[in-house]
Amino acid sequence: HVFKLEDYRASDYLIPATSLDFRLSPDATHLTALLTIERREGVAASAPLVLDGDGLTLLGVAIDGQALSASDYEATPDRLTILKPPATRRFELRLETEIAPSRNEALMGLYRSNNVYCTQCEAEGFRRITYFLDRPDILSVYTVRIEAPHNEAPLLLSNGNPVERGALANGRHYAIWHDPFPKPSYLFALVAGALGKVAGSFTTMSGREVELGIYVEPGKERLAGYAMDALKRSMKWDEDAFGREYDLDVFNIVAVSDFNMGAMENKGLNVFNDKYVLADEETATDADFANIEAIIAHEYFHNWTGNRITCRDWFQLCLKEGLTVYRDHEFSADQRSRAVKRIAEVRTLRAHQFPEDQGPLAHPVRPRRYREINNFYTATVYEKGSEVVRMIRTILGPETFRAGMDLYFERHDGEAATIEDFLKVFEDVSGRDLAQFALWYHQAGTPNLTVSSAHNAAAKEFTLEIEQSVPPTPSESRKRLMHIPLAFGLVGADGKPVAWDSVEGATVDDGVIHIRKRRHTVRFSGISERPSVSLNRGFSAPITLSVQQKPDDQFFLAAHDSDAFSRWQAFNTLLTDALIAAFRQILGGKQPAFAGRLAELAGRIAGDETLEPAYRALALALPGEADIARDIGKGIDPDAIFAAREALARAIAEANRAAFSALYDSLVDKGPFSPDAASAGRRALRNILLDYLALLPGGAGLAARHFAAATNMTDRAAALAVLTHRHPGTAEAEEALAAFEARYRGDALVLDKWFQIQAGVPGARTVDKVRELMRHPAFSIANPNRVRSLIGTFSSANQTGFHRPDGEGYRLFAETVLQVEKRNPQVAARLATALRSWRSLEPGRQAKARQALLEMAKAENLSADLRDIVERTLA
Ligand code: ARG
Ligand code: ZN
């Protein structure tokens, strides 16, 4: 079945109040649901009431206290139809269902993780708990009673505020929760089990006390301190930056070890993948700390953007996700370094969203069609969705943007809204027409701008010729012209901004050229010397640029651009161009050669004390193999890309040996560990220097000493990756792997790093290693984190291993995806997207990749999730 945006219709019935009574048991949980049903104004009394279900067993159904007879309703596991609802507009529907959480391996609905009951209802998991109008525009006030044996589940949590709790006979107990805020069913949550608690409190801007709780596996409480701190900072930031205050008496977070995604924003009861809660220096890297901070913030910010204002239907997913990602990006930028954060965001967008937008799975930020909504929790909806919000701010300016957000909260609080509603508030506060801009939501594909420049010294005129194009994407062959806010700067020979007298050919304001037509000839007058042009500063628009620019200009900008992002970009472009040239040389049977001044500039950036260490580390990180492949576009031979990248790394290392070595020594961590951004930046710089130095004679020994001397996970994991990736199979690498395994045996979350690093080892042998590791006692095909660490890393982050020319990597992949799919279709479908760029491979690999996709397509009883991905990828 294909769901279509234009088919949206309000439901005939509403459910203003929902009361749930759970009697928990692993194999037979009994639920009584009391739904207050209200027929919508104007709907005929004869309209049947059709509720969604998914694999349910109905034990009883009654209306206003009267049991229904068999002819009054139709029940299947996936649907309950009340054929003739009462004539009264309001009635009470009582449903009794039974479910088996212990047998729920899809991890949607009510399931067990590590003996803890927990739920995941977004997008359509609530229908696996009871029959319901399981759609986001049905807002209901929930009262939840949970009953369980005290020894099995001393803790009983749900959404909202605690109302009552008490002991019952036979060692049982109960708790009642009430959530006063009407919410859609996807925000329902229940958690019950034996968990340890970290308590905190927060006083809101109007002086209300909120009790905070983070619940983790008993014994792991001290690993939740950083998450608690991040939560308090998030609550404060949302008050300061957006005027948003928390609204319940309690805010709880639970960490579980089996979770399909990162985390979930259930009202007042966020449920997290424990990977994004638990951290200390011994077990978590600096990247883990940053992710925890960002995801805690993200889920908390959903309280307003997602929960108080939710989505009318799932086509509007970006209304809450893109906006909330934008908010968490801004939070992290304020907490850390804005420039470094921006570069990292753009790297992520290019690594995940660009290939999606440029391949068979491309879709608009607001899709118009889907077969399985779970497959639309994508980089496009999330990351590009965030960039679209950022562009609104760029176009309107910070004050008007904030006024628009204020109006959005005021106008739509308590509603299930649409993208049109969102755009309208910005039109209303600014008086502008955003119709052309709205194409960013409606049209898929990454727009490209071709730019060339000319300087006429006699006329003192500088001209930019800019042309936009949007490549065709599946089912959208003709594209309309977009409004692209292109931030830019003209940079003089002294590195200072160049001023102009007047400009014509496009609207230019506040350093932004507004591209709205296919072609713009933008003329700047009063410019006597030819400037360098810095384009798409701060990555003001999520586009690709084809700039006819001399390498001299690129080198100049890489050293002098005042915009930190563009300066990074200029250097990164130089690296990319060099790598692509080297790739072609290698394919042509030649030894790659690199301009000496590139390595020299790398050395200068590394040692530039005016730049933050974290920034220098990002600049020195060569474009990834997949990034290079994406920029080359077709005929990809991953082995040649790998060779090109290694040759450039070696050239940079050799040219800077002494300087890198001295800098490496000077950056050694002094004093106690701190996860703050500045300390993390120093570690990042030192670890990237290690990666270069490891390529030189004595490199394995240096990395082994780094590993042995490490006092935190960041350094330990970095050294292990350097050893195994730069010196695979050596005694140093093998010893470090064994030591790591011995040290963290029994800590599955940390062993994930061990799986991940090994799955990432470049080369033909890794397929066999992955097969072997799948039999490791710590591995479990049922646990999403294990699967993602081993199979996910292998297929999406190991270009030479996965794309082994004989197709063995694809075979292991297809086999494993199908194995995962039997339990967990959602995780399998996500894994399967690793083949989305198969058409850009060289013909030999392409044929083998296609074979693997066909293999999956013809498997029996394919889930809707996996079928959707495989068929679209092949189409
Ligand atoms: N709303 C969650 C978040 O981004 C993600 C939930 C994903 N659920 C799913 N079924 N794909 O914070
Ligand atoms: Zn989200």
Side-chain angles (χ1 to χ4, degrees), residues 108 120 122-123 261 263-265 298-299 302 320-321 374 377 382 826:
M108 287 293 281
Q120 170 57 34
E122 187 179 2
M261 311 285 284
M264 181 63 211
E265 70 264 22
H298 179 96
E299 307 310 332
H302 267 314
K320 72 179 179 80
E321 295 303 347
N374 284 324
Y377 287 74
Y382 276 66
Q826 203 176 309

Side-chain angles (χ1 to χ4, degrees), residues 402-592:
R402 173 65 199 270
M405 287 300 300
D406 289 348
L407 180 58
Y408 177 64
F409 293 124
E410 189 192 309
R411 190 182 277 176
H412 296 291
D413 186 15
E415 290 180 11
T418 62
I419 284 301
E420 282 73 16
D421 295 330
F422 185 65
L423 285 167
K424 184 78 166 57
V425 296
F426 295 108
E427 292 190 322
D428 288 355
V429 294
S430 68
R432 295 203 204 197
D433 176 356
L434 294 176
Q436 188 185 14
F437 179 82
L439 288 174
W440 282 104
Y441 282 109
H442 307 322
Q443 210 164 250
T446 310
N448 178 263
L449 290 181
T450 305
V451 185
S452 63
S453 63
H455 182 242
N456 181 336
K460 289 191 172 183
E461 195 176 76
F462 183 69
T463 311
L464 290 175
E465 294 282 354
I466 307 175
E467 180 170 348
Q468 71 159 296
S469 63
V470 187
T473 51
S475 76
E476 288 178 14
S477 48
R478 303 251 316 263
K479 301 285 186 178
R480 288 192 281 160
L481 294 170
M482 305 187 63
H483 175 189
I484 299 171
L486 184 70
F488 78 110
L490 304 184
V491 186
D494 54 0
K496 301 228 168 72
V498 172
W500 54 87
D501 293 340
S502 66
V503 56
E504 57 184 57
T507 307
V508 176
D509 61 39
D510 263 340
V512 176
I513 305 174
H514 293 269
I515 309 295
R516 291 167 166 278
K517 300 189 293 183
R518 180 170 314 282
R519 279 184 203 86
H520 288 264
T521 302
V522 188
R523 274 180 229 286
F524 299 87
S525 68
I527 296 192
S528 38
E529 269 174 69
R530 195 184 74 90
S532 300
V533 209
S534 165
L535 289 168
N536 210 19
R537 280 187 157 174
F539 205 67
S540 62
I543 58 168
T544 54
L545 279 172
S546 316
V547 189
Q548 286 160 29
Q549 198 163 34
K550 300 191 192 74
D552 281 352
D553 275 344
Q554 271 327 340
F555 272 99
F556 179 78
L557 291 171
H560 299 291
D561 200 322
S562 61
D563 181 86
F565 172 80
S566 290
R567 192 168 165 186
W568 169 83
Q569 180 62 70
F571 184 56
N572 199 260
T573 303
L574 285 168
L575 293 170
T576 302
D577 292 348
L579 288 162
I580 293 175
F583 167 78
R584 303 215 190 287
Q585 285 162 346
I586 289 167
L587 283 190
K590 290 200 273 294
Q591 277 283 77

Side-chain angles (χ1 to χ4, degrees), residues 238 265 298 300-310 319-321 323-324 327 405 408-409:
D238 213 11
E265 70 264 22
H298 179 96
Y300 174 73
F301 297 157
H302 267 314
N303 191 55
W304 275 95
T305 50
N307 301 3
R308 290 286 290 255
I309 306 179
T310 193
L319 177 71
K320 72 179 179 80
E321 295 303 347
L323 176 56
T324 305
R327 278 151 53 68
M405 287 300 300
Y408 177 64
F409 293 124

Side-chain angles (χ1 to χ4, degrees), residues 54 108-110 120-130 134 185-186:
D54 182 356
M108 287 293 281
L110 177 64
Q120 170 57 34
C121 292
E122 187 179 2
E124 298 177 333
F126 192 71
R127 61 185 66 183
R128 291 163 63 87
I129 296 174
T130 187
D134 190 14
S185 49
Y186 81 86

